[in-house]
Amino acid sequence: MPLTPPITLNHLSFAWPSGEIALANLDGTFPSGRTGLIGANGSGKSTLLKLIAGQLHPTSGTAESSAPLSYLPQTLALEQDATVAELLGIQRILAALEAIESGSVDPAHFDAVGANWDVEARVRAELEPLGFSGLDLGRKASTLSGGEAMLLAVTGLRIADSPITLLDEPTNNLDRPTRELLYELVRTWKGTLVVVSHDIELLELMEHTVELYDGKLSVYGGPYSAYREQLETEQLAAEQAARTAQASLKVEKRQRVEAETKLARAKRKGRATQLSGGMPKILANHLRQKSEANAGKMRSHLDGKVDSAQARLDEADQRVRQVEHINIELPDPKLPAGKQVAVLGSAQDQFIIQGAERVGLVGPNGSGKTTLLRQILAGVAPGSGLGGKLFVDRVGYLPQRLEGLDGQLSAMENVASVAPTATANDVRQMLARLLLRGASADRPLAALSGGERFRVYLATLLLAEPTPQLLVLDEPTNNLDVD
């Protein structure tokens, strides 16, 4: 008896409130073990995970799981006062244990604890190899870096030990050492794990690869490299088939033209014979009618061959993938060479940025990179601690967690708000060069994928009036697909 797949999709469809279709009639299954779910930005991966997790409800069809599941969204949404215990998902159990230790005999507290009497010890055992030994479980999660918060959230799901776990872009914000820690968690994960990611090293740890492309799911055995190898083989075959079909179409069209030429010559010859009086009129009419009937059959046959060759070419072309690339023209910020732009650091150790430079700010998770950027932007002067001072007032900032724009407004509306003199066509063309076209440009920002939202934020920087002379980008490759 075949085993039931952990996740099954049956004619799954989902449309946004605007009526735009995100997924249509999607069928497929996810195998047991570790699976990487891949696809271009905007293909619907995060939407699909939310449907499987029950965070969204299908317009039609079903997304069924064979066992309870846990889900980690692409962006951690935590209350301002949320604690590390809440991030780990054990706050309710710890509160119940504390109440029981204080003398409570409320059955609800015992139900909350269940079999997890040793939960704190198990959590400590999981946290120690990750470098969180002695971490205060009551500490506010907002004091953690983005990478630390993500690693703890993944650890919380590992502790929860659900039969099925869904992770959406878990390596966002992680530095190299922290990624290695997460990779080790994934290598030893129990149960079924589905990971949406563009991190190739993480995808290489997968046992299966599922691609969401052109509204369809395809399952490949093996990690990302095996998928790429098979896809390249398929594409070479598809390109060869397209070339063969193109050559066949040219042959059929040429034969159609040659046949038409022969028919025209025969028709002229018959007319000349009739006019010369070399054939009785009644016989000439009979032969003409017969010739026209035969010509009609020949044209129909040849047209059919041309149509068939065109259909084969169209089918072959559909199997050949066309990869689009971002194509933007950067505006001139009119920044003189050597002009002092900013100073950052401490009173004893300062670094000066001047036009025109590209500066990489590196350091481990929790070292304060994002804090330093915010202090520079806020004009906190270097003193005993770290800070910065700006010497230009035209600054564009791309925050790590993509904050600051209105999630209910469309991409068009958000970009137009920073470029009051740009026409609607200017804004639409800029978004198109960033591969945001049609309905994607008009959809609310909150409904876009992480990679699409990033491109909207980028557009607000590139079209801002006046043009920024300093761009500050915090983790700009989060959520971006490989292409």
Side-chain angles (χ1 to χ4, degrees):
M1 182 175 178
L3 295 174
T4 302
I7 298 168
T8 303
L9 312 177
N10 290 303
H11 306 300
L12 180 67
S13 297
F14 178 76
W16 297 106
S18 64
E20 182 193 354
I21 296 173
L23 297 169
N25 221 26
L26 193 63
D27 290 304
T29 60
F30 285 81
S32 300
R34 300 188 300 273
T35 298
L37 175 57
I38 63 173
N41 288 144
S43 59
K45 303 183 301 299
S46 294
T47 300
L48 177 56
L49 278 200
K50 289 176 183 177
L51 288 164
I52 296 170
Q55 302 288 313
L56 293 174
H57 301 290
T59 306
S60 63
T62 59
E64 300 174 347
S65 55
S66 62
L69 59 78
S70 298
Y71 164 66
L72 180 73
Q74 189 177 101
T75 303
L76 295 176
L78 296 171
E79 297 294 333
Q80 185 65 30
D81 294 328
T83 63
V84 168
E86 288 176 81
L87 187 61
L88 290 165
I90 60 171
Q91 177 68 26
R92 183 165 170 264
I93 300 173
L94 292 181
L97 282 170
E98 186 178 349
I100 292 169
E101 289 170 0
S102 298
S104 172
V105 292
D106 187 340
H109 290 144
F110 287 87
D111 289 341
V113 174
N116 295 302
W117 295 94
D118 63 342
V119 66
E120 186 166 353
R122 287 193 292 116
V123 167
R124 295 293 181 194
E126 289 281 353
L127 293 181
E128 186 171 353
L130 301 177
F132 291 114
S133 180
L135 179 65
D136 180 6
L137 299 181
R139 176 180 169 181
K140 286 188 178 181
S142 59
T143 64
L144 300 168
S145 73
E148 290 172 323
M150 181 61 76
L151 187 61
L152 287 172
V154 173
T155 303
L157 294 190
R158 182 181 164 94
I159 294 167
D161 199 24
S162 297
I164 302 171
T165 304
L166 313 176
L167 305 179
D168 195 352
E169 297 283 5
T171 57
N172 278 355
N173 306 314
L174 302 191
D175 62 20
R176 183 74 212 181
T178 310
R179 285 185 184 226
E180 292 294 344
L181 293 172
L182 185 130
Y183 295 158
E184 189 56 35
L185 291 179
V186 168
R187 286 188 190 97
T188 57
W189 202 279
K190 298 176 183 178
T192 292
L193 182 67
V194 177
V195 181
V196 167
S197 183
H198 304 294
D199 179 342
I200 294 177
E201 287 188 67
L202 176 59
L203 294 173
E204 278 300 298
L205 302 178
M206 300 296 113
E207 299 166 284
H208 319 278
T209 301
V210 174
E211 184 188 32
L212 181 57
Y213 175 77
D214 197 25
K216 298 180 180 63
L217 278 183
S218 300
V219 181
Y220 297 83
Y224 184 80
S225 56
Y227 150 77
R228 286 298 312 174
E229 185 177 346
Q230 186 172 343
L231 181 63
E232 286 170 12
T233 300
E234 291 174 357
Q235 284 301 291
L236 287 173
E239 289 167 5
Q240 180 57 54
R243 286 193 293 269
T244 301
Q246 180 69 56
S248 176
L249 178 60
K250 287 182 179 178
V251 169
E252 297 299 345
K253 285 183 174 180
R254 185 176 66 249
Q255 290 179 349
R256 175 69 174 80
V257 171
E258 290 173 353
E260 197 65 49
T261 302
K262 290 178 181 177
L263 289 172
R265 286 173 182 165
K267 186 175 182 180
R268 287 197 299 272
K269 183 178 179 182
R271 187 178 299 157
T273 302
Q274 182 181 355
L275 291 174
S276 67
M279 183 183 301
K281 185 176 181 180
I282 188 170
L283 178 59
N285 288 337
H286 172 71
L287 291 176
R288 178 176 55 78
Q289 290 172 357
K290 184 178 180 180
S291 176
E292 288 176 353
N294 289 336
K297 290 179 182 178
M298 181 182 291
R299 287 191 181 99
S300 178
H301 173 68
L302 292 172
D303 285 345
K305 293 181 73 175
V306 170
D307 290 344
S308 178
Q310 182 66 60
R312 289 195 299 272
L313 176 59
D314 291 343
E315 183 182 352
D317 281 343
Q318 286 178 355
R319 296 199 300 271
V320 178
R321 300 191 180 190
Q322 303 297 327
V323 179
E324 291 189 294
H325 296 285
I326 287 175
N327 177 26
I328 53 177
E329 295 177 7
L330 295 175
D332 185 355
K334 308 292 189 207
L335 180 65
K339 175 179 170 59
Q340 197 168 91
V341 173
V343 59
L344 60 150
S346 64
Q348 294 76 32
D349 186 14
Q350 295 188 355
F351 180 79
I352 296 173
I353 300 174
Q354 56 190 22
E357 289 185 318
R358 294 184 295 277
V359 179
L361 177 60
V362 301
N365 286 139
S367 60
K369 300 184 298 296
T370 295
T371 300
L372 175 58
L373 292 182
R374 288 177 174 167
Q375 288 176 335
I376 294 169
L377 295 169
V380 177
S384 56
L386 290 177
K389 182 178 181 181
L390 296 175
F391 298 103
V392 294
D393 55 8
R394 289 154 51 186
V395 180
Y397 175 49
L398 181 79
Q400 184 181 112
R401 289 175 177 157
L402 297 184
E403 306 155 327
L405 297 186
D406 191 329
Q408 301 309 308
L409 296 181
S410 69
M412 284 286 296
E413 292 167 324
N414 272 293
V415 176
S417 69
V418 301
T421 67
T423 67
N425 189 54
D426 291 336
V427 174
R428 199 169 287 279
Q429 284 186 357
M430 167 59 79
L431 291 173
R433 288 196 290 271
L434 291 166
L435 308 185
L436 286 166
R437 303 187 181 96
S440 295
D442 297 314
R443 199 192 308 162
L445 188 66
L448 296 177
S449 73
E452 289 174 318
R453 283 199 303 277
F454 164 80
R455 281 177 267 152
V456 176
Y457 274 79
L458 187 60
T460 64
L461 301 186
L462 299 182
L463 271 184
E465 299 173 4
T467 302
Q469 293 185 321
L470 171 64
L471 289 179
V472 180
L473 311 179
D474 194 353
E475 297 285 1
T477 58
N478 278 354
N479 306 314
L480 299 188
D481 60 36
V482 175
D483 291 321

